[in-house]
Amino acid sequence: MRAHVLHEPELEFRAGNRHIDPRYGISVFGPADADSPAAPHQIPVALVGPAQAIDGIRSWLQRCQNRIDAKDTKPGQENLHQPFPGFSIDAQFGAELIFDDSLVREIPERQLRRLARADVISATADAVEIYADAARSLVETGRCRVVICARPDELNDRENHAPSVEGAAEHEDEQDEREAGGDFHDLLKATALTLPAPLQLMRRETWTGVRARTGGQAARPLQDEATRAWNLHTALYYKAGGTPWRMQRHSSDLATCYVGVSFYRAQSGQELHTAVAQVFNERGDGVVVRGGTAQISKSDRQPHLALSDARRLLLDALAEYRSTHGHQPARIAVHKTSNFTPGEIDGFHEAADQRDIDHVDMLWIQRRGAPHLYRAGQLPPLRGTTVQMDARTLLLYTRGSVPYFRTYPGMYVPQPLLIRSASPGTDLLAAGADILALSKMNWNNAQLDERDPLTLRTAYRVGSILKHVPSNARIATRYAYYM
C-alpha cells in the first residue's frame, strides 16, 4: 500500500477565476454568479425575535457592511484566518442586506417568560409555533428573501449546546449529536418548509461575540468575528438565491449528478425513511427528494431499500435534475451511508438504464471505523491523503494538515473516511477527488476543509428535519430551506 496526496481542489468564482480558498476567491474575484442578472444584489431580510435581539442583530449586520479584521495568527499562518471584506454593493460580494421596519416581528417578553417556566418539550413546541406564525406573516408579504430568527435564550434544548453559527461545527461528531436532538432548529425548519422564503437562525453570541454559559457549564470557545461574518453572510447570499462559488469543471468532464442517500427514523421511531440530497456539479445547488421506507437488514444491521424503491428514488432524483438543467446527466455518482445490497445496485442500474445513462458510480462512504495513519512530526496527515486498501476500498483524509494554512486547523484528531465502491469500473482516486471537492461546497462554512462531502452533509441535515414532517406532507425541494 502507498499513500497518495490529492491536489487541493480549486473552486470557481467570478468570471471563471479559480482558487482553493472560498474566502480568498470571494475577496479577490467576487461570487461565482456576480455577473449574472439573477445574482441577489439586494437582499431584503425579515427579522423575528425579542426586541433587544432584533436591535442587536440589525446593528451587527450593519457593522458587517464594512471590513472586519482577521484574528491574529502566528507568523506564516495568515491564511488560516482572513479578514471579512464587508457585505455591501461596493464590497466584493456586490450585494447588500435591505432592512425594513415593516419586515420585523417582535416576540413579546411575556411569551418568552412563559417559555422559561415550561418544561423543555412544551417550551420548544410553543417557541416553534410563535416563531413560525411570525415568519409566515412576514413572507406572505412577498417582500423578503430570507427570514432571520433570533433563537430564544429561554430554551434549553439540545441545540443550545451546538455551535454559534448554523453548520459551523468544529467537533467532527457534532452533526451526529444534532441528528438525535429534535431541537428548536429542526422543528422550526420542518414547520417552515412550505414558506416562500428560507429561514436563518442566529444565537445571541453570534452578534454579541460573548459565548453564553449553558447548564452551568463553562463557555466554549467562540469563532472570531470575521469568521462568524464570513459564515453567516455566505449562507445568506446562498439562501437569497446566489452562488458564492462553484466546483471546477473541465470541458472534458462528464455532466454529473451527485446523489447523497442517507436514512432517518420517523418521529414515531417505528419506520425508517430515506432522505436524499442531490447536488449538481455545475452549481453545487441541492435539491431534496424524499424516498420510500427502508428496512434494517438482519445480516448487517444497516438500513436498505428494496429494488423498486431504489429505482424510484433515483428516477425522482433524475427528474429533478432534468427540471433544473433541461437535460439528463451523462454520469451518476451515488454516495450512500450504508452498504449497497444487490437489490439496491440493480434498482439504481435500472433507473440509469431507463434514462440511457451509461456511467454509474456507487460509493459507500463510512464516517467511522477507518484505520488511522500516522505522519512523522507533530501534525496529522495532510488533507487529501489517500491509501487504496484493496481494489474497491479507499481511505481518504478530508480533514488534516493543510499546507495553505501551514498547520492543522482542527481541535480534534482528524477521522478519515472509508470509501467502498459497489461499481467494478470506478476510478477510486477520481472518486476521492470528487469527494474532496464536494467537501468544500458547504455554504454554512467558508473555510475550505469541511469533513463530509456535501452529498452526505445535506442528507444528514435533511433527515434530521424531515423526521418531524408527515410522510404525505408537501416539502420544499431546495436545500436552502434545510441548511
Side-chain angles (χ1 to χ4, degrees):
M1 293 187 297
R2 291 186 60 187
H4 177 82
V5 181
L6 299 172
H7 292 293
E8 185 64 56
E10 289 187 321
L11 300 169
E12 286 193 0
F13 302 91
R14 184 176 189 173
N17 288 287
R18 296 173 181 173
H19 198 270
I20 64 171
D21 189 337
R23 299 165 302 176
Y24 181 93
I26 288 180
S27 295
V28 174
F29 308 119
D33 65 342
D35 296 327
S36 168
H41 298 299
Q42 292 191 321
I43 305 173
V45 293
L47 300 172
V48 177
Q52 186 181 28
I54 288 175
D55 290 341
I57 290 174
R58 187 164 179 169
S59 176
W60 186 67
L61 292 177
Q62 288 172 337
R63 166 175 162 73
C64 291
Q65 292 173 355
N66 302 310
R67 173 187 167 97
I68 297 175
D69 291 334
K71 176 182 177 181
D72 291 337
T73 55
K74 296 179 181 178
Q77 296 181 3
E78 291 80 9
N79 291 333
L80 182 58
H81 298 285
Q82 296 192 20
F84 179 67
F87 199 85
S88 68
I89 289 292
D90 297 326
Q92 284 83 342
F93 270 98
E96 63 180 350
L97 302 180
I98 305 299
F99 301 99
D100 186 335
D101 290 341
S102 66
L103 293 177
V104 173
R105 292 292 182 273
E106 295 183 0
I107 307 298
E109 288 293 333
R110 63 178 180 80
Q111 293 182 325
L112 298 173
R113 288 195 298 270
R114 189 178 67 202
L115 296 179
R117 292 193 298 267
D119 62 90
V120 172
I121 295 177
S122 299
T124 302
D126 288 346
V128 167
E129 183 178 0
I130 293 168
Y131 274 71
D133 287 345
R136 187 173 296 108
S137 70
L138 290 167
V139 299
E140 285 176 351
T141 66
R143 294 187 291 112
C144 63
R145 302 283 288 273
V146 184
V147 180
I148 299 177
C149 298
R151 188 188 188 282
D153 298 332
E154 289 73 14
L155 286 181
N156 193 31
D157 61 341
R158 297 188 188 188
E159 193 221 351
N160 200 32
H161 306 281
S164 64
V165 177
E166 289 183 284
E170 297 213 11
H171 194 299
E172 292 179 342
D173 292 330
E174 189 130 31
Q175 182 64 36
D176 296 330
E177 295 171 7
R178 285 184 51 77
E179 281 188 76
D183 52 37
F184 174 73
H185 172 282
D186 294 343
L187 285 165
L188 181 59
K189 290 292 182 80
T191 305
L193 286 182
T194 57
L195 297 184
L199 307 186
Q200 174 72 37
L201 273 64
M202 290 178 65
R203 296 181 186 84
R204 182 174 299 277
E205 53 265 31
T206 302
W207 68 85
T208 63
V210 178
R211 180 66 175 171
R213 291 177 177 268
T214 56
Q217 300 176 353
R220 280 176 27 183
L222 183 68
Q223 292 174 325
D224 63 280
E225 186 178 23
T227 298
R228 299 197 309 272
W230 269 115
N231 293 338
L232 178 67
H233 287 83
T234 301
L236 291 174
Y237 188 84
Y238 170 66
K239 290 182 180 183
T243 304
W245 56 83
R246 297 188 180 99
M247 288 174 59
Q248 180 182 2
R249 183 169 184 264
H250 299 286
S251 58
S252 59
D253 291 343
L254 295 176
T256 301
C257 173
Y258 296 99
V259 180
V261 180
S262 73
F263 304 93
Y264 65 93
R265 191 171 296 280
Q267 190 67 8
S268 65
Q270 300 302 313
E271 289 185 311
L272 276 170
H273 294 277
T274 306
V276 174
Q278 177 180 323
V279 182
F280 301 138
N281 177 343
E282 291 83 351
R283 288 174 50 87
D285 205 358
V287 178
V288 175
V289 179
R290 183 158 53 176
T293 302
Q295 299 295 330
I296 296 291
S297 168
K298 293 182 179 179
S299 59
D300 63 7
R301 306 304 301 166
Q302 294 180 350
H304 294 290
L305 292 166
L307 185 153
S308 58
D309 288 327
R311 180 180 62 244
R312 171 49 51 193
L313 185 69
L314 189 52
L315 285 173
D316 289 346
L318 291 170
E320 290 290 346
Y321 185 100
R322 182 179 177 83
S323 68
T324 299
H325 290 273
H327 62 84
Q328 292 289 4
R331 172 176 169 256
I332 304 168
V334 181
H335 296 168
K336 194 162 167 281
T337 57
S338 63
N339 196 9
F340 288 82
T341 63
E344 289 172 325
I345 293 173
D346 290 343
F348 290 138
H349 275 305
E350 286 184 11
D353 291 344
Q354 193 169 329
R355 294 292 181 262
D356 296 323
I357 298 171
D358 297 327
H359 305 279
V360 182
D361 290 328
M362 297 180 228
L363 301 171
W364 172 22
I365 303 178
Q366 295 176 253
R367 302 179 73 248
R368 291 189 176 90
H372 285 58
L373 304 180
Y374 293 91
R375 179 174 169 229
Q378 296 182 335
L379 296 178
L382 295 170
R383 169 177 151 87
T385 297
T386 64
V387 174
Q388 188 158 340
M389 312 296 289
D390 56 48
R392 292 197 182 184
T393 307
L394 185 76
L395 182 146
L396 170 64
Y397 274 84
T398 50
R399 295 221 74 200
S401 302
V402 180
Y404 180 70
F405 294 151
R406 296 190 179 182
T407 188
Y408 168 57
M411 297 175 60
Y412 304 90
V413 176
Q415 309 288 315
L417 301 177
L418 199 60
I419 303 163
R420 299 182 185 272
S421 173
S423 311
T426 297
D427 183 334
L428 284 176
L429 281 181
D434 271 356
I435 290 170
L436 197 64
L438 287 166
S439 74
K440 305 176 80 159
M441 298 302 295
N442 177 17
W443 290 319
N444 263 331
N445 187 354
Q447 190 161 299
L448 63 84
D449 64 332
E450 192 74 39
R451 186 192 180 198
D452 291 322
L454 189 60
T455 42
L456 296 192
R457 168 166 284 275
T458 55
Y460 296 136
R461 195 169 284 275
V462 166
S464 69
I465 293 171
L466 285 186
K467 70 181 182 181
H468 302 292
V469 180
S471 58
N472 59 347
R474 186 171 66 88
I475 64 169
T477 58
R478 186 170 168 239
Y479 174 57
Y481 281 79
Y482 300 84
M483 61 182 279

